[in-house]
Amino acid sequence: MKLPSPFEETSNSSKPVQYRVYAIRAILAMIMAALIAQINLDYAESWLYDLRIRSDLFARTSNNIELVYIKPTTVQNFKGQPNAKDQTAILHNLLAANPRAVVYDFAINEAQGSEEDKEEWANLITQNPQVYVATPNTPLKGEEQSLYLPLPYENIRMVPAPKTSDTINFAKDRVTRRMLLSYQDTTMLPTTLAALYNPAIKDFNNVRGYFNFYDTKQAFIDFRKPGSFPATVFDELANGTVDWSKFQDKIVIIGTDLNISESDYILTPYSRIPSAMTRIEMQANIVDTLIRNSSPLRAPYYVNWILLTLISILAIQIVLSMSPAMGLVILFSTLFTFSVISFALFWICGWWITMAAPLLAGFLVYYFFIPYRLIIENRRSWEYYQKNKLLSQVEELKTNFISMMSHDLKTPIARIQGMTDVILSDQVTLSAQQREAVDTIKHSSDDLLKFISSILNYGKIQSEGVELHLQTKDINQVLQEVIRKHEFLAKVKRIQIVSELEPLFPIPMDPDLMRQVLSNLVENAIKYSPDDTKIMVSSEEKSNHVVIQVSDQGPGIPEDEQANIFTKFFRSKNVKSTQIKGSGLGLYLAKYFTELHKGRIFVESKDGKGSTFTVELPMEQGGVNA
Ligand code: ADP
């Protein structure tokens, strides 16, 4: 009996029941999704976000920004930080190159120099509106005076250009991922600078992916890896080895890279080491993001929700309807495809869809429902076990009953046959009509006895009670006996039995069982052949085997039925509709008995063109269960 997989819906379940099962699964998946949505996965999500930034293959810059660094070598060459006089001279040269903006992003009031030198520098700055001084501070409304430096820089209004980091929010890993566009209506310096190239962003509504966060307007930075912006060391500006023309029409940001103050550096999605990127490179990234207006766009909440729910539903469906190996393959490939799509969307469109929750949901839901699956599996196999037990009990009862019945039937039949023989042997008293009636009784009881013998043998096979009683005997003898016994039957249909028996050595066999096998073949040949045909019976020796063949010119056996004729109770469709009687057990028994002899039985036949049954028996004693 073929057991259905415990996870297949049972075949008698109607469609509405199936839909109900799916609906329940979907609701369970939604509950799981809702629970998973409660877990704070900011850290994992940020990590996956960083991975997407890091692996971006399409990253380009707008090529509008030049960085200038005051490095430890500069301090060495200048015997201290460049003083006000050096700065003034360099600013003159820079302005002559026509940049769009020059930004000082360090504490300019800390530069050494005489009061006149400082004043001259301060004047040059205030006279040129394209020169900006950045401050990392963002004063509250009402505290704007802190944007002004002490004398002699009192006329310079610094512009806030702070750094943000995920210290107490989101991933809490101190990495810089966001930028401030404005704070309490004060526009931040990078926003002003980017507007020089992309005026549209002056209206924050045009900034892609911008969002309000407390009193600020923010967006995510579309980071480029460190070193993406061209940088020059300050010394080159001082000694004139620089090509000034490269600053034309660019935003030049001057800052320090001295490895002294942590505030000069940020942690980036690329790296968490404290000096991963200089603050001025961060400013360049912010300005560049705004010029290209390419802030990553966070998918709306509901999109993330749908993804989470879909993956949960899929995971439940997989765990409850597929085999474990197949399920894992499908789960992994779905999650892999989902990840690839998420990455591609980020690289190509800058769309940031939540990955952590759906990925976690895939695994959590899958493993959460495994115990449930095991319970169902167990319950079903228990049911099948019980059903099987019952079936085999019924089968045993049936076999016992059949063999008991057949056995008890055999005796009265034998008596009937004995009595009919007695009556038939009386040549005188019977009229022709009576003789015909008694003949019919005799043939019918013969048929009945054959049928009962088949059933008895079948019962013996079922209870594994058939034993081989081997004798060494010439199979031709058995064949001749069988042919002789069937000659009368053949004559009735004017069928000619032609035998071609080669002389053979005696072989080990159970003569009773082989007689039954060969009788069945000859009887079938007579039974199924039309009148006035021929039957060939042959025997020969072939490579250590005795080969017996019974061929007829009967209706043949359709190809699609040939595989079945040796199974129990099988009768051909054509035959069932005719008057020809049979139990469908003959060939089953023949095959069983032949195989007990370690032999082989098979048929070759073409529909409508007769059949040839072949029995091969081994000649060696060792080939048989002696
Ligand atoms: P049955 O009691 O029906 O003859 P068997 O097991 O002996 O049962 O044979 C099984 C089936 O094989 C038959 O019902 C018949 O359809 C087919 N068959 C057997 N021998 C022949 C034959 N010589 N020619 C055509 N069909 C045959």
Side-chain angles (χ1 to χ4, degrees), residues 78 81-96 102 104 106 108 111-128 131 152-153 156 234 237-238 244 254:
F78 283 80
Q81 294 240 5
N83 61 31
K85 194 172 175 159
D86 301 324
Q87 292 286 10
T88 313
I90 283 166
L91 184 55
H92 269 298
N93 286 336
L94 252 180
L95 289 172
V102 176
Y104 288 117
F106 59 93
I108 59 166
Q112 300 297 311
S114 65
E115 280 310 298
E116 292 94 78
D117 288 343
K118 288 184 185 175
E119 234 167 80
E120 199 188 338
W121 189 25
N123 285 339
L124 190 60
I125 292 171
T126 40
Q127 280 157 17
N128 287 286
V131 183
Y153 303 106
I156 299 172
F234 192 84
L237 270 61
W244 293 96
I254 306 170

Side-chain angles (χ1 to χ4, degrees), residues 520-521 524-529 552 554-557 561 565-567 570-573 575 581-588 611 613:
N520 185 259
L521 297 185
N524 276 353
I526 299 171
K527 211 160 66 165
Y528 294 112
S529 293
D552 62 45
I557 300 160
E561 290 189 343
I565 55 168
F566 294 100
T567 53
F570 180 86
R571 301 207 70 212
S572 165
K573 258 184 270 134
V575 167
K581 284 189 253 125
S583 59
L585 276 174
L587 287 178
Y588 168 73
S611 322
F613 283 85

Side-chain angles (χ1 to χ4, degrees), residues 204-358:
F204 294 135
N205 289 319
N206 293 331
V207 176
R208 193 181 129 111
Y210 107 90
F211 56 94
N212 288 307
F213 193 67
Y214 297 102
D215 261 352
T216 62
K217 297 200 187 314
Q218 305 196 356
F220 283 88
I221 305 171
D222 184 18
F223 263 108
R224 297 292 177 255
K225 65 171 181 291
S228 294
F229 295 92
T232 314
V233 184
F234 192 84
D235 313 21
E236 290 179 45
L237 270 61
N239 61 27
T241 52
V242 73
D243 169 19
W244 293 96
S245 66
K246 72 177 178 184
F247 298 119
Q248 190 181 357
D249 213 28
K250 298 283 167 72
I251 295 170
V252 184
I253 307 176
I254 306 170
T256 50
D257 181 10
L258 295 170
N259 285 318
I260 300 173
S261 164
E262 205 191 321
S263 64
D264 280 355
Y265 299 94
I266 59 161
L267 275 55
T268 66
Y270 295 93
S271 164
R272 269 107 168 117
I273 61 161
S275 61
M277 186 182 271
T278 61
R279 203 180 62 226
I280 65 168
E281 191 161 1
M282 171 197 75
Q283 309 293 18
N285 270 294
I286 297 176
V287 174
D288 200 55
T289 302
L290 288 169
I291 292 174
R292 286 181 288 110
N293 202 6
S294 63
S295 245
L297 200 61
R298 232 187 151 144
Y301 193 62
Y302 69 87
V303 172
N304 295 329
W305 232 112
I306 292 172
L307 283 173
L308 182 59
T309 314
L310 282 182
I311 290 200
S312 305
I313 290 178
L314 185 91
I316 285 201
Q317 200 56 31
I318 286 173
V319 80
L320 296 185
S321 0
M322 285 183 182
S323 71
M326 188 66 188
L328 269 182
V329 169
I330 302 256
L331 182 74
F332 271 105
S333 38
T334 309
L335 295 184
F336 179 74
T337 314
F338 167 72
S339 305
V340 169
I341 293 174
S342 307
F343 271 73
L345 282 178
F346 190 84
W347 296 336
I348 298 164
C349 319
W351 287 346
W352 169 17
I353 54 176
T354 309
M355 282 181 72

Side-chain angles (χ1 to χ4, degrees), residues 362-414:
F363 289 110
L364 265 190
V365 172
Y366 186 85
Y367 285 102
F368 190 84
F369 277 91
I370 279 185
Y372 178 63
R373 173 198 169 121
L374 288 179
I375 292 172
I376 304 180
E377 203 170 341
N378 243 327
R379 203 188 62 202
R380 295 214 177 143
S381 33
W382 174 248
E383 279 169 11
Y384 283 121
Y385 169 73
Q386 292 293 344
K387 222 186 263 177
N388 245 347
K389 214 164 98 178
L390 192 73
L391 276 180
S392 43
Q393 276 170 355
V394 171
E395 189 73 13
E396 202 182 313
L397 274 179
K398 209 171 72 185
T399 314
N400 284 348
F401 175 76
I402 289 176
S403 49
M404 213 172 68
M405 278 283 294
S406 328
H407 196 266
D408 286 353
L409 282 174
K410 240 180 145 177
T411 327
I413 299 249

